[in-house]
Amino acid sequence: MISQDNLLSLDKISIICNEDVRESLKVADYTCKILNNSGLNARINTFSSPDSKTSLVITVGGDGTLLKAARLYAPKGTPVLGINLGRLGFLAQLNPDEIDALPNQLINTRYTVQKRMMLSSFNDKILALNDIVIKGDSFSRTSKLFLSINGRVVCDYLADGIIISTPTGSTAYTLSAGGPVIMPELEAVVIVPICPHTLTARPLVIPASEEISISSCKTCNKLKLSADGQETIDINTDSSVKIQKSSIQAKLVILEKENNGFYSILRKKLQWGVGPER
């Protein structure tokens, strides 16, 4: 029997779609119809007008849509479930052809609610479920970046940037930059330099309790910080940026279905360990 901590409230379901993804509004309308016909209370909302009383958010789009919703609703403790219309859909749980079965899965508690670690900066004004990335603001120049952990200098990088990633984000930008894959349940942070000008710079995995500080030389150009590749701010090079595990956690709904475990998704989505075809 599912525990109360993992039991969803289905009182008020908000469906949020990515209007930049073709067919997203059509799929959102269909999902809303299917849920309401099953006796659930669902309506379509937007990112610009979120419903603070929503008990469950269903996103229609790609992983980017889900990440945006997670950052918006995590402070409210609202779980998020994704319907994938994007290319990869590593976090999104459903494909459009599985929507008809969704009401039965929700009503009969065929799911789990996973709490996922998030990163924060500037006192939780910046939240990230996947990663926080710091880069220079010039495409033609590398940046000098200094890494400190718990107030102690670790190393410096001459690189295009640096990625600070959660386990959830280890299969995203971090993986493309040469970082390791980490189970989502682990409490850890991955630090990966982007295109470093050295052969000795390697990804670093540290406990989630550590406080990370990134700074740059004062003569360098301004830096840019982005959260999940979506929310971007400028940073002055005369101050350091502190990044740490947030006290806020995202809640992701994981549906019970065949081959939906983490290792199965790695193999299916990323062709993990799949040999060449004969």
Side-chain angles (χ1 to χ4, degrees):
M1 185 175 181
I2 194 168
S3 67
Q4 289 296 318
D5 290 339
N6 282 324
L7 189 62
L8 290 174
S9 170
L10 304 177
D11 293 338
K12 199 171 187 181
I13 301 174
S14 288
I15 302 171
I16 299 179
C17 65
N18 182 357
E19 296 179 357
D20 294 330
V21 176
R22 189 171 59 181
E23 300 296 318
S24 62
L25 186 56
K26 179 179 178 181
V27 172
D29 284 335
Y30 182 75
T31 304
C32 190
K33 178 182 176 181
I34 289 295
L35 292 173
N36 286 328
N37 287 346
S38 300
L40 300 175
N41 179 20
R43 59 173 294 181
I44 296 176
N45 288 100
T46 63
F47 284 114
S48 58
S49 58
D51 188 342
S52 60
K53 296 182 179 180
T54 290
S55 58
L56 171 65
V57 173
I58 298 176
T59 63
V60 180
D63 280 351
T65 309
L66 187 147
L67 289 168
K68 188 174 182 178
R71 291 199 311 277
L72 180 63
Y73 284 93
K76 303 176 178 64
T78 308
V80 179
L81 169 66
I83 297 174
N84 181 43
L85 296 183
R87 290 168 294 181
L88 186 60
F90 201 88
L91 296 176
Q93 286 287 293
L94 287 173
N95 294 317
D97 59 358
E98 299 173 305
I99 294 173
D100 288 346
L102 179 58
N104 180 61
Q105 289 177 296
L106 294 177
I107 293 171
N108 292 291
T109 63
R110 293 173 53 198
Y111 58 80
T112 58
V113 179
Q114 288 187 1
K115 293 181 180 180
R116 297 289 183 93
M117 186 187 102
M118 302 185 79
L119 295 173
S120 73
S121 189
F122 300 101
N123 298 319
D124 277 346
K125 292 180 181 178
I126 297 293
L127 285 174
L129 175 55
N130 263 2
D131 50 46
I132 290 177
V133 178
I134 297 176
K135 289 184 176 182
D137 66 351
S138 173
F139 289 106
S140 60
R141 296 183 62 183
T142 56
S143 299
K144 189 76 169 180
L145 299 171
F146 305 100
L147 169 67
S148 296
I149 298 176
N150 292 338
R152 296 185 178 183
V153 175
V154 176
C155 61
D156 58 84
Y157 300 106
L158 183 63
D160 287 353
I162 189 167
I163 306 170
I164 314 297
S165 171
T166 66
T168 298
S170 69
T171 52
Y173 193 9
T174 301
L175 182 64
S176 299
V181 173
I182 298 181
M183 285 288 291
E185 292 85 357
L186 293 179
E187 291 281 302
V189 174
V190 186
I191 303 172
V192 183
I194 305 170
C195 300
H197 284 228
T198 175
L199 297 176
T200 60
R202 292 292 182 265
L204 184 63
V205 181
I206 65 173
S209 57
E210 310 282 67
E211 183 183 75
I212 300 165
S213 179
I214 306 292
S215 59
S216 184
C217 55
K218 294 182 179 180
T219 58
C220 293
N221 293 335
K222 287 186 177 181
L223 302 176
K224 288 186 178 295
L225 180 149
S226 67
D228 293 336
Q230 296 175 336
E231 186 177 353
T232 303
I233 62 170
D234 292 326
I235 305 171
N236 292 323
T237 55
D238 57 355
S239 60
S240 62
V241 179
K242 288 182 172 54
I243 300 168
Q244 60 276 321
K245 172 188 172 182
S246 175
S247 59
I248 298 170
Q249 293 179 307
K251 292 183 178 181
L252 302 187
V253 180
I254 309 299
L255 297 175
E256 292 180 3
K257 59 180 183 176
E258 187 177 359
N259 296 324
N260 199 36
F262 180 72
Y263 300 117
S264 297
I265 293 175
L266 274 181
R267 186 175 178 85
K268 180 180 178 181
K269 299 288 186 177
L270 299 179
Q271 298 297 299
W272 191 269
V274 177
E277 295 183 0
R278 294 180 179 179

